[in-house]
Amino acid sequence: DLAVSNRRLRNQVRDALQGANAVIAVSEELGERARGLGVPAERIHVIPNGADCEQFAAQPLRKRICDEWNLLFVGRFDPAKGIGVLIAATAELRRLGKQVRVRFVGGSASTGKSDFFQRQAIELGIDEFVEFDDEVPSSAMPEVMGGADLFVLPSFSEGMPTVMIEALAAGLPVVVTRCGGPTEVVNDRLGRLVEIGSVEDLCSAIADSIDQYENFDRNEIRNQAREQFDYKQIAQRIAQVYESVVARTMASP
């Protein structure tokens, strides 16, 4: 984003990319951006972020025992992550009779950013259904994911969000915005895609995911995440790029 809005930085990024022997992009969309900055297509390798899928799959799938639905957001407490949109959508879902609550994990209470969103929840009358947690250790994330029914990431911009991959590895259906990399991964078997910044679209997608929840095969979601994003195979693909660059460099006169 900075490379687009700041000319000096854009030029620096362009020069760095054009001078690289290889460029790894975590999504096709970012690969297209690199091509737009003048990087030859043959130097661009699209390799997504990876995750320890086995660690997340080790957490037992949550069994639903009540009518309440636990939604989970993980990320910075920042307006660009669409938190305000999700809070507004939660209020609308409650008004429509959907028994949802949201846990926000990942921001720091010391920054004061959560206060802004907490005030929004209070103004909308849903503060008892919204919870803000500080950062948690990465080792605790499988348990955090295991306590949710649905993962929601309404960001305005993303490459290939690792937290979305972790949610899929945990067997969670996901609702994410058409903000870049997620459009290359999410289909109706894994979750729903929504328009950026649209409270109405986010509300509709969450409601549809709840109503059609029995159609999600959570073990299949886990397996697909493992096949596409396990960090061991991702690391191997990255290593192959480095090896090819070294081999070409050594062969050059």
Side-chain angles (χ1 to χ4, degrees), residues 68 70 87 90 94 99-104 117-118 120-132:
E68 193 166 69
N70 293 295
I87 292 174
T90 301
R94 298 286 311 183
Q99 303 302 306
V100 298
R101 62 171 52 247
V102 188
R103 183 182 182 187
F104 292 91
F117 298 115
Q118 286 173 334
Q120 180 188 2
I122 292 171
E123 290 170 359
L124 292 172
I126 60 166
D127 49 301
E128 65 179 297
F129 306 111
V130 175
E131 176 186 359
F132 291 89

mmCIF file with all atom_site columns, all heavy atoms in Angstrom, residues 68 70 87 90 94 99-104 117-118 120-132:
data_model
loop_
_atom_site.group_PDB
_atom_site.id
_atom_site.type_symbol
_atom_site.label_atom_id
_atom_site.label_alt_id
_atom_site.label_comp_id
_atom_site.label_asym_id
_atom_site.label_entity_id
_atom_site.label_seq_id
_atom_site.pdbx_PDB_ins_code
_atom_site.Cartn_x
_atom_site.Cartn_y
_atom_site.Cartn_z
_atom_site.occupancy
_atom_site.B_iso_or_equiv
_atom_site.pdbx_formal_charge
_atom_site.auth_seq_id
_atom_site.auth_comp_id
_atom_site.auth_asym_id
_atom_site.auth_atom_id
_atom_site.pdbx_PDB_model_num
ATOM 1   N N   . GLU A 1 68  ? -25.877 -20.435 20.659 1.00 0.00 ? 68  GLU A N   1
ATOM 2   C CA  . GLU A 1 68  ? -25.000 -19.280 20.506 1.00 0.00 ? 68  GLU A CA  1
ATOM 3   C C   . GLU A 1 68  ? -23.838 -19.613 19.570 1.00 0.00 ? 68  GLU A C   1
ATOM 4   O O   . GLU A 1 68  ? -23.285 -20.711 19.618 1.00 0.00 ? 68  GLU A O   1
ATOM 5   C CB  . GLU A 1 68  ? -24.457 -18.845 21.870 1.00 0.00 ? 68  GLU A CB  1
ATOM 6   C CG  . GLU A 1 68  ? -23.803 -17.484 21.849 1.00 0.00 ? 68  GLU A CG  1
ATOM 7   C CD  . GLU A 1 68  ? -23.588 -16.951 23.247 1.00 0.00 ? 68  GLU A CD  1
ATOM 8   O OE1 . GLU A 1 68  ? -22.739 -17.512 23.962 1.00 0.00 ? 68  GLU A OE1 1
ATOM 9   O OE2 . GLU A 1 68  ? -24.271 -15.982 23.627 1.00 0.00 ? 68  GLU A OE2 1
ATOM 10  N N   . ASN A 1 70  ? -20.070 -18.584 18.202 1.00 0.00 ? 70  ASN A N   1
ATOM 11  C CA  . ASN A 1 70  ? -18.848 -17.876 18.576 1.00 0.00 ? 70  ASN A CA  1
ATOM 12  C C   . ASN A 1 70  ? -18.045 -17.518 17.332 1.00 0.00 ? 70  ASN A C   1
ATOM 13  O O   . ASN A 1 70  ? -17.511 -18.401 16.655 1.00 0.00 ? 70  ASN A O   1
ATOM 14  C CB  . ASN A 1 70  ? -17.998 -18.740 19.515 1.00 0.00 ? 70  ASN A CB  1
ATOM 15  C CG  . ASN A 1 70  ? -18.680 -18.952 20.851 1.00 0.00 ? 70  ASN A CG  1
ATOM 16  O OD1 . ASN A 1 70  ? -18.882 -18.006 21.604 1.00 0.00 ? 70  ASN A OD1 1
ATOM 17  N ND2 . ASN A 1 70  ? -19.059 -20.189 21.139 1.00 0.00 ? 70  ASN A ND2 1
ATOM 18  N N   . ILE A 1 87  ? -18.214 -5.183  13.964 1.00 0.00 ? 87  ILE A N   1
ATOM 19  C CA  . ILE A 1 87  ? -19.044 -4.814  15.115 1.00 0.00 ? 87  ILE A CA  1
ATOM 20  C C   . ILE A 1 87  ? -20.431 -4.389  14.650 1.00 0.00 ? 87  ILE A C   1
ATOM 21  O O   . ILE A 1 87  ? -21.455 -4.790  15.218 1.00 0.00 ? 87  ILE A O   1
ATOM 22  C CB  . ILE A 1 87  ? -18.365 -3.702  15.929 1.00 0.00 ? 87  ILE A CB  1
ATOM 23  C CG1 . ILE A 1 87  ? -17.097 -4.238  16.606 1.00 0.00 ? 87  ILE A CG1 1
ATOM 24  C CG2 . ILE A 1 87  ? -19.321 -3.142  16.993 1.00 0.00 ? 87  ILE A CG2 1
ATOM 25  C CD1 . ILE A 1 87  ? -16.273 -3.186  17.310 1.00 0.00 ? 87  ILE A CD1 1
ATOM 26  N N   . THR A 1 90  ? -22.327 -7.384  13.597 1.00 0.00 ? 90  THR A N   1
ATOM 27  C CA  . THR A 1 90  ? -22.757 -8.159  14.763 1.00 0.00 ? 90  THR A CA  1
ATOM 28  C C   . THR A 1 90  ? -24.039 -7.579  15.349 1.00 0.00 ? 90  THR A C   1
ATOM 29  O O   . THR A 1 90  ? -24.966 -8.322  15.715 1.00 0.00 ? 90  THR A O   1
ATOM 30  C CB  . THR A 1 90  ? -21.653 -8.171  15.830 1.00 0.00 ? 90  THR A CB  1
ATOM 31  O OG1 . THR A 1 90  ? -20.461 -8.752  15.274 1.00 0.00 ? 90  THR A OG1 1
ATOM 32  C CG2 . THR A 1 90  ? -22.072 -8.969  17.058 1.00 0.00 ? 90  THR A CG2 1
ATOM 33  N N   . ARG A 1 94  ? -27.590 -9.602  15.601 1.00 0.00 ? 94  ARG A N   1
ATOM 34  C CA  . ARG A 1 94  ? -28.345 -9.731  16.845 1.00 0.00 ? 94  ARG A CA  1
ATOM 35  C C   . ARG A 1 94  ? -29.771 -9.218  16.655 1.00 0.00 ? 94  ARG A C   1
ATOM 36  O O   . ARG A 1 94  ? -30.728 -9.822  17.140 1.00 0.00 ? 94  ARG A O   1
ATOM 37  C CB  . ARG A 1 94  ? -27.657 -8.961  17.966 1.00 0.00 ? 94  ARG A CB  1
ATOM 38  C CG  . ARG A 1 94  ? -26.253 -9.397  18.348 1.00 0.00 ? 94  ARG A CG  1
ATOM 39  C CD  . ARG A 1 94  ? -26.145 -10.673 19.113 1.00 0.00 ? 94  ARG A CD  1
ATOM 40  N NE  . ARG A 1 94  ? -27.029 -10.797 20.244 1.00 0.00 ? 94  ARG A NE  1
ATOM 41  C CZ  . ARG A 1 94  ? -27.020 -11.862 21.070 1.00 0.00 ? 94  ARG A CZ  1
ATOM 42  N NH1 . ARG A 1 94  ? -26.144 -12.843 20.869 1.00 0.00 ? 94  ARG A NH1 1
ATOM 43  N NH2 . ARG A 1 94  ? -27.860 -11.935 22.063 1.00 0.00 ? 94  ARG A NH2 1
ATOM 44  N N   . GLN A 1 99  ? -27.924 -15.451 17.339 1.00 0.00 ? 99  GLN A N   1
ATOM 45  C CA  . GLN A 1 99  ? -27.267 -15.391 18.648 1.00 0.00 ? 99  GLN A CA  1
ATOM 46  C C   . GLN A 1 99  ? -25.747 -15.493 18.480 1.00 0.00 ? 99  GLN A C   1
ATOM 47  O O   . GLN A 1 99  ? -25.140 -16.536 18.709 1.00 0.00 ? 99  GLN A O   1
ATOM 48  C CB  . GLN A 1 99  ? -27.788 -16.509 19.546 1.00 0.00 ? 99  GLN A CB  1
ATOM 49  C CG  . GLN A 1 99  ? -29.298 -16.497 19.735 1.00 0.00 ? 99  GLN A CG  1
ATOM 50  C CD  . GLN A 1 99  ? -29.784 -15.176 20.313 1.00 0.00 ? 99  GLN A CD  1
ATOM 51  O OE1 . GLN A 1 99  ? -29.305 -14.717 21.354 1.00 0.00 ? 99  GLN A OE1 1
ATOM 52  N NE2 . GLN A 1 99  ? -30.737 -14.547 19.639 1.00 0.00 ? 99  GLN A NE2 1
ATOM 53  N N   . VAL A 1 100 ? -25.140 -14.391 18.065 1.00 0.00 ? 100 VAL A N   1
ATOM 54  C CA  . VAL A 1 100 ? -23.701 -14.377 17.819 1.00 0.00 ? 100 VAL A CA  1
ATOM 55  C C   . VAL A 1 100 ? -22.990 -13.535 18.857 1.00 0.00 ? 100 VAL A C   1
ATOM 56  O O   . VAL A 1 100 ? -23.547 -12.574 19.394 1.00 0.00 ? 100 VAL A O   1
ATOM 57  C CB  . VAL A 1 100 ? -23.375 -13.834 16.401 1.00 0.00 ? 100 VAL A CB  1
ATOM 58  C CG1 . VAL A 1 100 ? -23.978 -14.720 15.325 1.00 0.00 ? 100 VAL A CG1 1
ATOM 59  C CG2 . VAL A 1 100 ? -23.872 -12.395 16.234 1.00 0.00 ? 100 VAL A CG2 1
ATOM 60  N N   . ARG A 1 101 ? -21.771 -13.927 19.137 1.00 0.00 ? 101 ARG A N   1
ATOM 61  C CA  . ARG A 1 101 ? -20.861 -13.102 19.922 1.00 0.00 ? 101 ARG A CA  1
ATOM 62  C C   . ARG A 1 101 ? -19.495 -13.164 19.246 1.00 0.00 ? 101 ARG A C   1
ATOM 63  O O   . ARG A 1 101 ? -19.188 -14.135 18.555 1.00 0.00 ? 101 ARG A O   1
ATOM 64  C CB  . ARG A 1 101 ? -20.781 -13.529 21.382 1.00 0.00 ? 101 ARG A CB  1
ATOM 65  C CG  . ARG A 1 101 ? -20.266 -14.918 21.643 1.00 0.00 ? 101 ARG A CG  1
ATOM 66  C CD  . ARG A 1 101 ? -20.022 -15.136 23.146 1.00 0.00 ? 101 ARG A CD  1
ATOM 67  N NE  . ARG A 1 101 ? -21.165 -14.806 23.980 1.00 0.00 ? 101 ARG A NE  1
ATOM 68  C CZ  . ARG A 1 101 ? -21.191 -13.781 24.845 1.00 0.00 ? 101 ARG A CZ  1
ATOM 69  N NH1 . ARG A 1 101 ? -20.128 -13.001 24.975 1.00 0.00 ? 101 ARG A NH1 1
ATOM 70  N NH2 . ARG A 1 101 ? -22.249 -13.559 25.578 1.00 0.00 ? 101 ARG A NH2 1
ATOM 71  N N   . VAL A 1 102 ? -18.692 -12.130 19.430 1.00 0.00 ? 102 VAL A N   1
ATOM 72  C CA  . VAL A 1 102 ? -17.407 -12.045 18.731 1.00 0.00 ? 102 VAL A CA  1
ATOM 73  C C   . VAL A 1 102 ? -16.275 -11.881 19.736 1.00 0.00 ? 102 VAL A C   1
ATOM 74  O O   . VAL A 1 102 ? -16.359 -11.051 20.654 1.00 0.00 ? 102 VAL A O   1
ATOM 75  C CB  . VAL A 1 102 ? -17.362 -10.866 17.746 1.00 0.00 ? 102 VAL A CB  1
ATOM 76  C CG1 . VAL A 1 102 ? -16.090 -10.935 16.909 1.00 0.00 ? 102 VAL A CG1 1
ATOM 77  C CG2 . VAL A 1 102 ? -18.581 -10.846 16.849 1.00 0.00 ? 102 VAL A CG2 1
ATOM 78  N N   . ARG A 1 103 ? -15.227 -12.644 19.529 1.00 0.00 ? 103 ARG A N   1
ATOM 79  C CA  . ARG A 1 103 ? -13.996 -12.482 20.300 1.00 0.00 ? 103 ARG A CA  1
ATOM 80  C C   . ARG A 1 103 ? -12.933 -11.895 19.393 1.00 0.00 ? 103 ARG A C   1
ATOM 81  O O   . ARG A 1 103 ? -12.621 -12.464 18.347 1.00 0.00 ? 103 ARG A O   1
ATOM 82  C CB  . ARG A 1 103 ? -13.522 -13.832 20.854 1.00 0.00 ? 103 ARG A CB  1
ATOM 83  C CG  . ARG A 1 103 ? -12.279 -13.723 21.732 1.00 0.00 ? 103 ARG A CG  1
ATOM 84  C CD  . ARG A 1 103 ? -11.820 -15.087 22.229 1.00 0.00 ? 103 ARG A CD  1
ATOM 85  N NE  . ARG A 1 103 ? -10.666 -14.970 23.105 1.00 0.00 ? 103 ARG A NE  1
ATOM 86  C CZ  . ARG A 1 103 ? -9.971  -16.002 23.582 1.00 0.00 ? 103 ARG A CZ  1
ATOM 87  N NH1 . ARG A 1 103 ? -10.348 -17.243 23.269 1.00 0.00 ? 103 ARG A NH1 1
ATOM 88  N NH2 . ARG A 1 103 ? -8.917  -15.801 24.359 1.00 0.00 ? 103 ARG A NH2 1
ATOM 89  N N   . PHE A 1 104 ? -12.412 -10.747 19.780 1.00 0.00 ? 104 PHE A N   1
ATOM 90  C CA  . PHE A 1 104 ? -11.338 -10.091 19.040 1.00 0.00 ? 104 PHE A CA  1
ATOM 91  C C   . PHE A 1 104 ? -10.033 -10.358 19.781 1.00 0.00 ? 104 PHE A C   1
ATOM 92  O O   . PHE A 1 104 ? -9.895  -10.029 20.956 1.00 0.00 ? 104 PHE A O   1
ATOM 93  C CB  . PHE A 1 104 ? -11.572 -8.576  18.966 1.00 0.00 ? 104 PHE A CB  1
ATOM 94  C CG  . PHE A 1 104 ? -12.749 -8.176  18.125 1.00 0.00 ? 104 PHE A CG  1
ATOM 95  C CD1 . PHE A 1 104 ? -14.005 -8.030  18.693 1.00 0.00 ? 104 PHE A CD1 1
ATOM 96  C CD2 . PHE A 1 104 ? -12.608 -7.947  16.763 1.00 0.00 ? 104 PHE A CD2 1
ATOM 97  C CE1 . PHE A 1 104 ? -15.095 -7.658  17.924 1.00 0.00 ? 104 PHE A CE1 1
ATOM 98  C CE2 . PHE A 1 104 ? -13.695 -7.581  15.980 1.00 0.00 ? 104 PHE A CE2 1
ATOM 99  C CZ  . PHE A 1 104 ? -14.942 -7.433  16.566 1.00 0.00 ? 104 PHE A CZ  1
ATOM 100 N N   . PHE A 1 117 ? -13.256 0.798   19.633 1.00 0.00 ? 117 PHE A N   1
ATOM 101 C CA  . PHE A 1 117 ? -14.191 -0.218  19.170 1.00 0.00 ? 117 PHE A CA  1
ATOM 102 C C   . PHE A 1 117 ? -15.139 -0.650  20.286 1.00 0.00 ? 117 PHE A C   1
ATOM 103 O O   . PHE A 1 117 ? -16.301 -0.976  20.031 1.00 0.00 ? 117 PHE A O   1
ATOM 104 C CB  . PHE A 1 117 ? -13.419 -1.410  18.605 1.00 0.00 ? 117 PHE A CB  1
ATOM 105 C CG  . PHE A 1 117 ? -12.565 -1.052  17.413 1.00 0.00 ? 117 PHE A CG  1
ATOM 106 C CD1 . PHE A 1 117 ? -11.180 -1.131  17.481 1.00 0.00 ? 117 PHE A CD1 1
ATOM 107 C CD2 . PHE A 1 117 ? -13.146 -0.615  16.235 1.00 0.00 ? 117 PHE A CD2 1
ATOM 108 C CE1 . PHE A 1 117 ? -10.397 -0.785  16.395 1.00 0.00 ? 117 PHE A CE1 1
ATOM 109 C CE2 . PHE A 1 117 ? -12.372 -0.274  15.139 1.00 0.00 ? 117 PHE A CE2 1
ATOM 110 C CZ  . PHE A 1 117 ? -10.995 -0.351  15.218 1.00 0.00 ? 117 PHE A CZ  1
ATOM 111 N N   . GLN A 1 118 ? -14.659 -0.634  21.523 1.00 0.00 ? 118 GLN A N   1
ATOM 112 C CA  . GLN A 1 118 ? -15.535 -0.947  22.639 1.00 0.00 ? 118 GLN A CA  1
ATOM 113 C C   . GLN A 1 118 ? -16.641 0.090   22.764 1.00 0.00 ? 118 GLN A C   1
ATOM 114 O O   . GLN A 1 118 ? -17.806 -0.245  23.040 1.00 0.00 ? 118 GLN A O   1
ATOM 115 C CB  . GLN A 1 118 ? -14.719 -1.027  23.933 1.00 0.00 ? 118 GLN A CB  1
ATOM 116 C CG  . GLN A 1 118 ? -13.870 -2.291  24.034 1.00 0.00 ? 118 GLN A CG  1
ATOM 117 C CD  . GLN A 1 118 ? -12.937 -2.278  25.226 1.00 0.00 ? 118 GLN A CD  1
ATOM 118 O OE1 . GLN A 1 118 ? -12.536 -1.223  25.716 1.00 0.00 ? 118 GLN A OE1 1
ATOM 119 N NE2 . GLN A 1 118 ? -12.574 -3.454  25.707 1.00 0.00 ? 118 GLN A NE2 1
ATOM 120 N N   . GLN A 1 120 ? -17.875 1.783   20.293 1.00 0.00 ? 120 GLN A N   1
ATOM 121 C CA  . GLN A 1 120 ? -18.805 1.500   19.205 1.00 0.00 ? 120 GLN A CA  1
ATOM 122 C C   . GLN A 1 120 ? -19.778 0.401   19.609 1.00 0.00 ? 120 GLN A C   1
ATOM 123 O O   . GLN A 1 120 ? -20.984 0.503   19.362 1.00 0.00 ? 120 GLN A O   1
ATOM 124 C CB  . GLN A 1 120 ? -18.053 1.083   17.941 1.00 0.00 ? 120 GLN A CB  1
ATOM 125 C CG  . GLN A 1 120 ? -18.966 0.771   16.761 1.00 0.00 ? 120 GLN A CG  1
ATOM 126 C CD  . GLN A 1 120 ? -18.221 0.179   15.558 1.00 0.00 ? 120 GLN A CD  1
ATOM 127 O OE1 . GLN A 1 120 ? -17.016 -0.027  15.613 1.00 0.00 ? 120 GLN A OE1 1
ATOM 128 N NE2 . GLN A 1 120 ? -18.941 -0.089  14.492 1.00 0.00 ? 120 GLN A NE2 1
ATOM 129 N N   . ALA A 1 121 ? -19.247 -0.661  20.250 1.00 0.00 ? 121 ALA A N   1
ATOM 130 C CA  . ALA A 1 121 ? -20.104 -1.764  20.681 1.00 0.00 ? 121 ALA A CA  1
ATOM 131 C C   . ALA A 1 121 ? -21.120 -1.300  21.722 1.00 0.00 ? 121 ALA A C   1
ATOM 132 O O   . ALA A 1 121 ? -22.290 -1.706  21.699 1.00 0.00 ? 121 ALA A O   1
ATOM 133 C CB  . ALA A 1 121 ? -19.245 -2.896  21.233 1.00 0.00 ? 121 ALA A CB  1
ATOM 134 N N   . ILE A 1 122 ? -20.691 -0.428  22.622 1.00 0.00 ? 122 ILE A N   1
ATOM 135 C CA  . ILE A 1 122 ? -21.599 0.110   23.637 1.00 0.00 ? 122 ILE A CA  1
ATOM 136 C C   . ILE A 1 122 ? -22.700 0.936   22.991 1.00 0.00 ? 122 ILE A C   1
ATOM 137 O O   . ILE A 1 122 ? -23.890 0.812   23.318 1.00 0.00 ? 122 ILE A O   1
ATOM 138 C CB  . ILE A 1 122 ? -20.816 0.958   24.664 1.00 0.00 ? 122 ILE A CB  1
ATOM 139 C CG1 . ILE A 1 122 ? -19.894 0.056   25.502 1.00 0.00 ? 122 ILE A CG1 1
ATOM 140 C CG2 . ILE A 1 122 ? -21.771 1.734   25.573 1.00 0.00 ? 122 ILE A CG2 1
ATOM 141 C CD1 . ILE A 1 122 ? -18.926 0.818   26.383 1.00 0.00 ? 122 ILE A CD1 1
ATOM 142 N N   . GLU A 1 123 ? -22.313 1.791   22.044 1.00 0.00 ? 123 GLU A N   1
ATOM 143 C CA  . GLU A 1 123 ? -23.290 2.641   21.361 1.00 0.00 ? 123 GLU A CA  1
ATOM 144 C C   . GLU A 1 123 ? -24.326 1.809   20.608 1.00 0.00 ? 123 GLU A C   1
ATOM 145 O O   . GLU A 1 123 ? -25.489 2.205   20.494 1.00 0.00 ? 123 GLU A O   1
ATOM 146 C CB  . GLU A 1 123 ? -22.570 3.586   20.393 1.00 0.00 ? 123 GLU A CB  1
ATOM 147 C CG  . GLU A 1 123 ? -21.744 4.662   21.094 1.00 0.00 ? 123 GLU A CG  1
ATOM 148 C CD  . GLU A 1 123 ? -20.850 5.425   20.133 1.00 0.00 ? 123 GLU A CD  1
ATOM 149 O OE1 . GLU A 1 123 ? -20.859 5.107   18.917 1.00 0.00 ? 123 GLU A OE1 1
ATOM 150 O OE2 . GLU A 1 123 ? -20.122 6.326   20.585 1.00 0.00 ? 123 GLU A OE2 1
ATOM 151 N N   . LEU A 1 124 ? -23.900 0.638   20.110 1.00 0.00 ? 124 LEU A N   1
ATOM 152 C CA  . LEU A 1 124 ? -24.810 -0.229  19.367 1.00 0.00 ? 124 LEU A CA  1
ATOM 153 C C   . LEU A 1 124 ? -25.554 -1.204  20.287 1.00 0.00 ? 124 LEU A C   1
ATOM 154 O O   . LEU A 1 124 ? -26.378 -1.983  19.813 1.00 0.00 ? 124 LEU A O   1
ATOM 155 C CB  . LEU A 1 124 ? -24.040 -1.012  18.298 1.00 0.00 ? 124 LEU A CB  1
ATOM 156 C CG  . LEU A 1 124 ? -23.479 -0.169  17.143 1.00 0.00 ? 124 LEU A CG  1
ATOM 157 C CD1 . LEU A 1 124 ? -22.580 -1.018  16.246 1.00 0.00 ? 124 LEU A CD1 1
ATOM 158 C CD2 . LEU A 1 124 ? -24.608 0.443   16.313 1.00 0.00 ? 124 LEU A CD2 1
ATOM 159 N N   . GLY A 1 125 ? -25.233 -1.153  21.574 1.00 0.00 ? 125 GLY A N   1
ATOM 160 C CA  . GLY A 1 125 ? -25.929 -1.982  22.546 1.00 0.00 ? 125 GLY A CA  1
ATOM 161 C C   . GLY A 1 125 ? -25.551 -3.448  22.525 1.00 0.00 ? 125 GLY A C   1
ATOM 162 O O   . GLY A 1 125 ? -26.345 -4.304  22.934 1.00 0.00 ? 125 GLY A O   1
ATOM 163 N N   . ILE A 1 126 ? -24.329 -3.758  22.061 1.00 0.00 ? 126 ILE A N   1
ATOM 164 C CA  . ILE A 1 126 ? -23.921 -5.169  21.982 1.00 0.00 ? 126 ILE A CA  1
ATOM 165 C C   . ILE A 1 126 ? -22.640 -5.444  22.768 1.00 0.00 ? 126 ILE A C   1
ATOM 166 O O   . ILE A 1 126 ? -21.972 -6.446  22.537 1.00 0.00 ? 126 ILE A O   1
ATOM 167 C CB  . ILE A 1 126 ? -23.724 -5.607  20.513 1.00 0.00 ? 126 ILE A CB  1
ATOM 168 C CG1 . ILE A 1 126 ? -22.644 -4.755  19.835 1.00 0.00 ? 126 ILE A CG1 1
ATOM 169 C CG2 . ILE A 1 126 ? -25.031 -5.550  19.742 1.00 0.00 ? 126 ILE A CG2 1
ATOM 170 C CD1 . ILE A 1 126 ? -22.152 -5.329  18.521 1.00 0.00 ? 126 ILE A CD1 1
ATOM 171 N N   . ASP A 1 127 ? -22.277 -4.542  23.677 1.00 0.00 ? 127 ASP A N   1
ATOM 172 C CA  . ASP A 1 127 ? -20.997 -4.686  24.378 1.00 0.00 ? 127 ASP A CA  1
ATOM 173 C C   . ASP A 1 127 ? -20.886 -5.997  25.153 1.00 0.00 ? 127 ASP A C   1
ATOM 174 O O   . ASP A 1 127 ? -19.783 -6.524  25.327 1.00 0.00 ? 127 ASP A O   1
ATOM 175 C CB  . ASP A 1 127 ? -20.749 -3.498  25.315 1.00 0.00 ? 127 ASP A CB  1
ATOM 176 C CG  . ASP A 1 127 ? -21.929 -3.181  26.203 1.00 0.00 ? 127 ASP A CG  1
ATOM 177 O OD1 . ASP A 1 127 ? -23.017 -2.898  25.660 1.00 0.00 ? 127 ASP A OD1 1
ATOM 178 O OD2 . ASP A 1 127 ? -21.773 -3.225  27.439 1.00 0.00 ? 127 ASP A OD2 1
ATOM 179 N N   . GLU A 1 128 ? -22.010 -6.558  25.601 1.00 0.00 ? 128 GLU A N   1
ATOM 180 C CA  . GLU A 1 128 ? -21.934 -7.824  26.337 1.00 0.00 ? 128 GLU A CA  1
ATOM 181 C C   . GLU A 1 128 ? -21.671 -9.013  25.416 1.00 0.00 ? 128 GLU A C   1
ATOM 182 O O   . GLU A 1 128 ? -21.381 -10.114 25.883 1.00 0.00 ? 128 GLU A O   1
ATOM 183 C CB  . GLU A 1 128 ? -23.220 -8.052  27.127 1.00 0.00 ? 128 GLU A CB  1
ATOM 184 C CG  . GLU A 1 128 ? -24.461 -8.247  26.286 1.00 0.00 ? 128 GLU A CG  1
ATOM 185 C CD  . GLU A 1 128 ? -25.694 -8.493  27.121 1.00 0.00 ? 128 GLU A CD  1
ATOM 186 O OE1 . GLU A 1 128 ? -25.722 -9.525  27.841 1.00 0.00 ? 128 GLU A OE1 1
ATOM 187 O OE2 . GLU A 1 128 ? -26.623 -7.669  27.068 1.00 0.00 ? 128 GLU A OE2 1
ATOM 188 N N   . PHE A 1 129 ? -21.769 -8.771  24.114 1.00 0.00 ? 129 PHE A N   1
ATOM 189 C CA  . PHE A 1 129 ? -21.548 -9.851  23.149 1.00 0.00 ? 129 PHE A CA  1
ATOM 190 C C   . PHE A 1 129 ? -20.235 -9.685  22.380 1.00 0.00 ? 129 PHE A C   1
ATOM 191 O O   . PHE A 1 129 ? -19.989 -10.408 21.418 1.00 0.00 ? 129 PHE A O   1
ATOM 192 C CB  . PHE A 1 129 ? -22.714 -9.902  22.155 1.00 0.00 ? 129 PHE A CB  1
ATOM 193 C CG  . PHE A 1 129 ? -24.050 -10.000 22.811 1.00 0.00 ? 129 PHE A CG  1
ATOM 194 C CD1 . PHE A 1 129 ? -24.944 -8.941  22.759 1.00 0.00 ? 129 PHE A CD1 1
ATOM 195 C CD2 . PHE A 1 129 ? -24.410 -11.142 23.509 1.00 0.00 ? 129 PHE A CD2 1
ATOM 196 C CE1 . PHE A 1 129 ? -26.177 -9.014  23.380 1.00 0.00 ? 129 PHE A CE1 1
ATOM 197 C CE2 . PHE A 1 129 ? -25.643 -11.232 24.138 1.00 0.00 ? 129 PHE A CE2 1
ATOM 198 C CZ  . PHE A 1 129 ? -26.527 -10.170 24.076 1.00 0.00 ? 129 PHE A CZ  1
ATOM 199 N N   . VAL A 1 130 ? -19.407 -8.739  22.814 1.00 0.00 ? 130 VAL A N   1
ATOM 200 C CA  . VAL A 1 130 ? -18.133 -8.463  22.148 1.00 0.00 ? 130 VAL A CA  1
ATOM 201 C C   . VAL A 1 130 ? -17.028 -8.486  23.192 1.00 0.00 ? 130 VAL A C   1
ATOM 202 O O   . VAL A 1 130 ? -17.123 -7.836  24.235 1.00 0.00 ? 130 VAL A O   1
ATOM 203 C CB  . VAL A 1 130 ? -18.162 -7.092  21.437 1.00 0.00 ? 130 VAL A CB  1
ATOM 204 C CG1 . VAL A 1 130 ? -16.795 -6.770  20.850 1.00 0.00 ? 130 VAL A CG1 1
ATOM 205 C CG2 . VAL A 1 130 ? -19.216 -7.090  20.334 1.00 0.00 ? 130 VAL A CG2 1
ATOM 206 N N   . GLU A 1 131 ? -15.971 -9.230  22.909 1.00 0.00 ? 131 GLU A N   1
ATOM 207 C CA  . GLU A 1 131 ? -14.858 -9.384  23.847 1.00 0.00 ? 131 GLU A CA  1
ATOM 208 C C   . GLU A 1 131 ? -13.545 -9.041  23.146 1.00 0.00 ? 131 GLU A C   1
ATOM 209 O O   . GLU A 1 131 ? -13.294 -9.487  22.031 1.00 0.00 ? 131 GLU A O   1
ATOM 210 C CB  . GLU A 1 131 ? -14.810 -10.836 24.343 1.00 0.00 ? 131 GLU A CB  1
ATOM 211 C CG  . GLU A 1 131 ? -13.647 -11.169 25.243 1.00 0.00 ? 131 GLU A CG  1
ATOM 212 C CD  . GLU A 1 131 ? -13.584 -12.646 25.587 1.00 0.00 ? 131 GLU A CD  1
ATOM 213 O OE1 . GLU A 1 131 ? -14.469 -13.409 25.132 1.00 0.00 ? 131 GLU A OE1 1
ATOM 214 O OE2 . GLU A 1 131 ? -12.638 -13.039 26.302 1.00 0.00 ? 131 GLU A OE2 1
ATOM 215 N N   . PHE A 1 132 ? -12.728 -8.216  23.815 1.00 0.00 ? 132 PHE A N   1
ATOM 216 C CA  . PHE A 1 132 ? -11.425 -7.837  23.274 1.00 0.00 ? 132 PHE A CA  1
ATOM 217 C C   . PHE A 1 132 ? -10.328 -8.425  24.152 1.00 0.00 ? 132 PHE A C   1
ATOM 218 O O   . PHE A 1 132 ? -10.299 -8.202  25.361 1.00 0.00 ? 132 PHE A O   1
ATOM 219 C CB  . PHE A 1 132 ? -11.283 -6.313  23.225 1.00 0.00 ? 132 PHE A CB  1
ATOM 220 C CG  . PHE A 1 132 ? -12.167 -5.650  22.212 1.00 0.00 ? 132 PHE A CG  1
ATOM 221 C CD1 . PHE A 1 132 ? -13.447 -5.251  22.542 1.00 0.00 ? 132 PHE A CD1 1
ATOM 222 C CD2 . PHE A 1 132 ? -11.719 -5.438  20.911 1.00 0.00 ? 132 PHE A CD2 1
ATOM 223 C CE1 . PHE A 1 132 ? -14.277 -4.645  21.601 1.00 0.00 ? 132 PHE A CE1 1
ATOM 224 C CE2 . PHE A 1 132 ? -12.531 -4.835  19.966 1.00 0.00 ? 132 PHE A CE2 1
ATOM 225 C CZ  . PHE A 1 132 ? -13.817 -4.439  20.326 1.00 0.00 ? 132 PHE A CZ  1
#
